[in-house]
Amino acid sequence: MEPLGQHGRSVDDVIGELEDKRHNDVRWEDGRTFGMVYDGGPEVREVAERAASIYLHENALNTKAFPSLGSIQSEVVGWTAGLLNGPDTASGFLTSGGTESILCAVKAARERARIERGITEPEMIVAASGHAAFHKGAHLFGLKLHKAPVNDDWTADVDAMADLVTENTVLIVGSAPQYPQGVIDDIARIAALAADADANCHVDGCMGGFVLPFAERLGRDVRPWDFRVDGVTSISADIHKLGYAPKGVSVILHRTKELRRYQTFIFDDWLGGFYASPNLQGTRSGLPMAAAWAVMQHLGIDGYLKLTASTLENADRMRDGIAAIDGIRVLGDGRFHLVAMSNEPNDPDPIDMFALGDALERVGWFHDRQTPPDSLHSTVSNSNAGVIDQYLEALRSCVDEIRGATTDDRSTNYATLE
Ligand SMILES: *Cc1c(COP(=O)(O)O)cnc(C)c1O
């Protein structure tokens, strides 16, 4: 690597090189990436970009200095609480993403149990399908994590969760839907279990938060998962996924302000003065918050309904197409926007799903790999509108191409290691 140059470069030169750098990145603009970038279309991009350029330099560290960001935060949080049927007492904060929202929920559960119950060796219960961010939270905040298995339909095994409850349980997690197979856990039973244990129940709605409320309005069968379920104490919902805001924004909601208080860090013994921060960041960009505000205002309920309807139709079409191809199948009974595709395990010569993923990537279609079992993951969104037939054609020909072939590469990186 060249060291940083002594002399600066012109704006055009710098921007030109940045544009060039992107050439090997996944091509999300043409709808061939199932995840990672969620594109609400040209007008949604425009409103986000214009909001971003206004708020690029603002700092949400101190909303007294930037009251606009204080009101942007409370409006976005309030609208989200409304979508998730939060009671009047519901309150929350914006964070930088799903992981940070989940970390805040874990920390709040730990603090509540320490202060209200005197728990010093906190434990949490998460199904094998629960997002890796919960393990990160256990690791960072010193909780013991009990992992519960999933049922045959990939939902959390709540009986197994019940067996894992101890007097130190501070948090039980359900997902709506879980990421790997896209199914919604039995949140009502998980929340009741948590309430019986006097513990928090966090619902991971990172993926579902900006889909399920609209799916329900569209008449889809959505099992109860939000604040209407007694015992649910917090929910995370990512606006930077199917909320169609650019990266860097998620909502963490608590049922009450009292529950939210356990999330906030307050320190009053510093030469710098009184310091309080609601989430894990200090200095905090106003850009993602303002962009999220703008996208939500631009879309409104009607806009989200339209995007959700087309997304769910496309996901259904994808599931039907996969089911019609010999040798592959959809895992579980996911009905929303997540599709996990695996092989027929009883085939004498089962398709190598990772070889299939490589073949699809060679012709420009990008999935995340996951295991167990070996499968290819799709998060369908408005980004993929209009390409599903093309995709299914590519899928059919890739399956034919790689029948009998295998790859030695078994990695499932969902990761940045360097
Ligand atoms: C994406 C996701 C997360 C983590 O969110 P990030 O924004 O990637 O940090 C957590 N849970 C589920 C179900 C997700 O889909």
Side-chain angles (χ1 to χ4, degrees):
M1 203 201 319
E2 296 278 310
L4 179 63
Q6 184 70 39
H7 304 292
R9 298 162 63 188
S10 75
V11 172
D12 285 345
D13 197 27
V14 170
I15 297 299
E17 183 169 341
L18 271 182
E19 296 278 7
D20 288 346
K21 270 187 188 296
R22 300 170 71 222
H23 281 161
N24 289 327
D25 292 358
V26 291
R27 301 196 319 231
W28 61 267
E29 293 95 332
D30 46 16
R32 289 166 162 250
T33 303
F34 294 102
M36 294 195 288
V37 178
Y38 310 100
D39 177 16
E43 281 200 12
V44 174
R45 283 204 300 274
E46 184 192 342
V47 81
E49 284 163 18
R50 289 174 64 179
S53 74
I54 303 174
Y55 276 86
L56 175 62
H57 306 289
E58 317 291 276
N59 188 346
L61 171 64
N62 183 344
T63 48
K64 286 212 166 67
F66 294 99
S68 66
L69 287 171
S71 77
I72 283 171
Q73 170 161 260
S74 74
E75 284 166 5
V76 171
V77 166
W79 299 329
T80 308
L83 290 172
L84 307 189
N85 295 290
D88 292 343
T89 54
S91 56
F93 288 112
L94 295 180
T95 70
S96 62
T99 298
E100 192 182 3
S101 291
I102 286 169
L103 296 180
C104 290
V106 172
K107 191 260 186 185
R110 187 197 70 183
E111 284 305 283
R112 177 185 171 209
R114 186 177 65 81
I115 291 164
E116 293 183 7
R117 294 162 58 203
I119 304 279
T120 54
E121 294 183 28
E123 300 180 9
M124 58 195 274
I125 302 169
V126 183
S129 53
H131 196 275
F134 291 100
H135 296 260
K136 192 177 196 173
H139 171 74
L140 289 174
F141 301 137
L143 289 83
K144 180 169 173 188
L145 189 151
H146 295 282
K147 197 168 78 173
V150 291
N151 297 307
D152 288 343
D153 66 1
W154 304 100
T155 61
D157 180 340
V158 186
D159 292 328
M161 286 180 147
D163 290 340
L164 293 168
V165 172
T166 72
E167 59 191 17
N168 286 326
T169 302
V170 305
L171 174 65
I172 309 181
V173 172
S175 302
Q178 43 93 300
Y179 175 84
Q181 291 82 25
V183 296
I184 304 180
D185 290 333
D186 187 342
I187 301 299
R189 278 192 67 206
I190 292 173
L193 192 62
D196 278 350
D198 211 9
N200 280 19
C201 170
H202 181 77
V203 176
D204 181 1
C206 284
M207 262 300 175
F210 286 86
V211 172
L212 301 180
F214 308 111
E216 185 179 340
R217 286 168 173 79
L218 290 165
R220 296 247 168 176
D221 183 18
V222 181
R223 73 195 296 192
W225 70 280
D226 64 15
F227 282 113
R228 286 171 290 185
V229 178
D230 286 339
V232 169
T233 54
S234 57
I235 302 181
S236 48
D238 290 354
I239 319 181
H240 71 192
K241 288 180 181 153
L242 282 276
Y244 294 105
K247 244 56 70 195
V249 60
S250 167
V251 183
I252 173 72
L253 282 166
H254 299 268
R255 184 178 283 280
T256 66
K257 241 188 178 127
E258 289 68 43
L259 287 167
R260 188 184 73 167
R261 204 182 57 222
Y262 296 120
Q263 171 187 330
T264 301
F265 175 78
I266 293 173
F267 189 60
D268 196 14
D269 187 21
W270 179 35
L271 299 185
F274 177 87
Y275 184 97
S277 80
N279 55 26
L280 300 179
Q281 297 175 291
T283 291
R284 189 148 76 108
S285 174
L287 183 159
M289 301 164 69
W293 188 96
V295 167
M296 287 184 81
Q297 280 296 294
H298 175 66
L299 284 172
I301 301 284
D302 286 345
Y304 280 114
L305 285 172
K306 220 170 119 195
L307 292 173
T308 307
S310 95
T311 295
L312 296 182
E313 280 158 26
N314 283 323
D316 288 345
R317 216 135 50 89
M318 191 169 183
R319 279 186 279 263
D320 291 347
I322 292 167
I325 298 173
D326 235 21
I328 54 173
R329 68 192 168 120
V330 174
L331 290 179
D333 185 25
R335 291 138 190 235
F336 302 103
H337 55 303
L338 304 174
V339 182
M341 173 169 67
S342 191
N343 57 21
E344 293 290 357
N346 299 326
D347 273 0
D349 194 9
I351 301 281
D352 180 332
M353 294 310 292
F354 294 169
L356 177 59
D358 291 346
L360 284 163
E361 203 171 326
R362 281 194 295 272
V363 290
W365 299 92
F366 189 87
H367 298 272
D368 273 326
R369 293 170 164 203
Q370 58 185 15
T371 199
D374 288 359
S375 47
L376 299 177
H377 188 272
S378 300
T379 305
V380 180
S381 73
N382 184 67
S383 308
N384 315 110
V387 303
I388 299 295
D389 289 339
Q390 232 181 312
Y391 168 75
L392 290 171
E393 225 178 278
L395 179 61
R396 272 187 291 273
S397 79
C398 287
V399 168
D400 287 341
E401 176 195 325
I402 59 96
R403 252 182 233 286
T406 57
T407 171
D408 293 334
D409 176 8
R410 308 319 293 170
S411 64
T412 54
N413 281 348
Y414 179 7
T416 302
L417 290 171
E418 285 191 52

